Amino acid sequence: MSNLRLIGLIAGIIGLVSTFLVYRGARWNRANFIFFTLFNLFLITITINPESINFLRDLLALQEHQRGRLLALLVLSNIFLMFFGFYSKSRIENLRLQFDKLVRSMGVVTLEKAISLADEIKPVMVVIPALNEADNLAHVLRLIPKQIDGMDIGVLVVDDGSEDGTRDIVKKFGCMVVSNPINRGGGAALRLGYDILKKSSGNICVTMDADGQHRPEDIQKLLAPIVNDEADFVIGSRILGNREADSLFRLSGVYTFGWLISVLLGKKITDPSSGFRAFKMSSTSKINLQEDQYHTSELIIEAVKKDLRIKEVPVTILKRKYGKSKKGRDWIYGFYFAKTIIKTWWR
């Protein structure tokens, strides 16, 4: 027996014994036990009898190659590693979703202890995720109307782990604020906001950015189709409306991703990256939201899948008033945005 086979045999035996010792008793996990047991048994088998993988060598037409069995084993190992990677990613994703639920529930409980949600939640709630946006919020919050067409307007800012006094600014303007203990991303912050509205039977939710790009005077445009029962979900579109001069790369991305989503969903969407939206909370109860970042397209895709009535209205998008964008470089943002579109559409 060659040294390589001997090492493989020893590794297989140690792995088999370790699998039994690790997953017995309180740490029992049937799926892991079967997976690692089969792997180690296979390793032991091929080291004792290398000819047992001749069928794979012949299947790959490597029988004439000097190292045919070794190459076949390498191919099989790569396939195994690929599936193991998918398995591990699935486990990690499940843990991420469980952590997300835990943090959101903690946020809701914390806010419930601090205030009476029944008294603070208005028929229309503007939910604003914010990360270190104290200067911009000081400008935005003073412009949000208290009432539109006879409907009271409330504001809930989700402080996503800010360190610049964002929470203090929100309180200064008498608005509701709930804080994530760590920065988790705009999508995760909005999910916490949605949980609070669902807990308190919120009626209509408006989402807008904290950076001053969305004009509070356009909120009325978003609400009109919902109030008139023409739509369940309304998107503020810069393509249908106006926008201040911005990166040509990002603008081309809006058009490109708008085309992609429209093709995938069979529904014309001009501005898939708009975070300026309004929707009925009752209509979104079945929507499955998971994305922490690059989340704007996720809600649109899920809404179409759930057969909600969607409408776009023209709005004006301004440049960020203070500070720098947190979206990162354009090409990185575009890559992950495209990934989110495909991932959400496929699931």
Side-chain angles (χ1 to χ4, degrees):
M1 180 179 290
S2 67
N3 290 337
L4 182 61
R5 288 172 57 190
L6 182 60
I7 292 173
L9 178 61
I10 294 173
I13 294 174
I14 292 175
L16 193 62
V17 174
S18 298
T19 298
F20 174 76
L21 294 177
V22 168
Y23 290 110
R24 64 180 177 176
R27 299 184 64 181
W28 170 253
N29 185 304
R30 183 171 56 186
N32 286 356
F33 182 83
I34 293 174
F35 181 81
F36 288 110
T37 297
L38 290 176
F39 171 78
N40 287 297
L41 286 175
F42 176 76
L43 182 59
I44 292 171
T45 300
I46 62 174
T47 53
I48 294 176
N49 181 23
E51 293 184 359
S52 61
I53 62 169
N54 282 353
F55 76 95
L56 180 62
R57 179 200 64 187
D58 297 342
L59 181 65
L60 296 174
L62 295 171
Q63 58 268 39
E64 302 298 330
H65 199 282
Q66 183 179 3
R67 301 290 183 181
R69 280 201 297 248
L70 182 58
L71 289 174
L73 185 60
L74 289 174
V75 171
L76 185 62
S77 299
N78 277 280
I79 294 174
F80 168 80
L81 288 174
M82 181 181 68
F83 280 101
F84 182 73
F86 287 140
Y87 170 76
S88 299
K89 183 174 177 57
S90 175
R91 292 291 303 274
I92 293 172
E93 179 67 8
N94 183 60
L95 291 174
R96 184 187 72 83
L97 294 176
Q98 293 300 318
F99 175 75
D100 176 59
K101 290 180 180 179
L102 173 63
V103 174
R104 284 158 47 196
S105 64
M106 290 172 59
V108 174
V109 170
T110 300
L111 189 62
E112 283 183 315
K113 289 181 178 179
I115 63 174
S116 171
L117 293 181
D119 295 334
E120 296 294 334
I121 298 297
K122 307 299 180 185
V124 177
M125 290 297 300
V126 179
V127 179
I128 306 175
L131 170 63
N132 296 327
E133 297 286 4
D135 292 337
N136 285 313
L137 282 171
H139 169 75
V140 171
L141 293 179
R142 66 165 54 95
L143 298 177
I144 296 178
K146 300 295 184 182
Q147 200 174 70
I148 294 178
D149 295 334
M151 297 181 294
D152 291 335
I153 308 295
V155 177
L156 169 62
V157 175
V158 183
D159 168 26
D160 195 28
S162 298
E163 299 176 346
D164 69 338
T166 288
R167 184 181 180 89
D168 296 332
I169 288 293
V170 178
K171 287 186 174 181
K172 178 181 176 180
F173 282 88
C175 300
M176 295 172 60
V177 60
V178 60
S179 296
N180 274 328
I182 57 175
N183 171 232
R184 304 191 57 233
L190 285 173
R191 286 197 298 275
L192 174 54
Y194 302 154
D195 285 350
I196 292 170
L197 266 58
K198 291 175 183 177
K199 186 82 172 181
S200 55
S201 301
N203 186 18
I204 298 176
C205 175
V206 176
T207 67
M208 63 186 298
D209 294 346
D211 57 11
Q213 289 188 299
H214 299 152
R215 302 191 311 166
E217 54 263 42
D218 284 334
I219 293 176
Q220 187 171 17
K221 295 180 181 179
L222 297 175
L223 293 177
I226 296 177
V227 173
N228 297 330
D229 198 29
E230 299 171 357
D232 304 308
F233 180 59
V234 181
I235 304 167
S237 170
R238 79 197 79 185
I239 304 302
L240 298 180
N242 300 291
R243 58 196 175 276
E244 290 187 346
D246 199 357
S247 165
L248 182 61
F249 186 90
R250 290 193 177 184
L251 180 60
S252 63
V254 173
Y255 279 104
T256 301
F257 293 131
W259 170 84
L260 177 60
I261 284 185
S262 298
V263 170
L264 291 175
L265 300 178
K267 170 72 176 178
K268 179 65 174 179
I269 301 294
T270 66
D271 195 343
S273 62
S274 173
F276 202 13
R277 304 164 296 195
F279 49 87
K280 295 179 180 178
M281 289 301 301
S282 59
S283 300
T284 59
S285 58
K286 297 181 180 180
I287 285 181
N288 179 25
L289 300 176
Q290 300 179 4
E291 296 298 323
D292 294 345
Q293 303 280 5
Y294 316 99
H295 56 89
T296 51
S297 61
E298 181 187 35
L299 183 55
I300 297 173
I301 296 172
E302 281 288 310
V304 173
K305 284 184 174 182
K306 297 303 187 292
D307 199 28
L308 300 188
R309 295 174 300 166
I310 300 177
K311 184 174 182 178
E312 290 186 291
V313 297
V315 297
T316 298
I317 303 296
L318 308 174
K319 286 184 178 181
R320 163 183 279 274
K321 194 165 184 63
Y322 302 106
K324 295 181 179 180
S325 173
K326 301 175 180 65
K327 293 181 179 179
R329 294 183 178 181
D330 290 346
W331 67 272
I332 295 178
Y333 180 82
F335 171 79
Y336 283 106
F337 196 86
K339 179 182 175 183
T340 299
I341 290 175
I342 300 301
K343 178 181 176 183
T344 307
W345 172 75
W346 183 254
R347 74 181 182 212

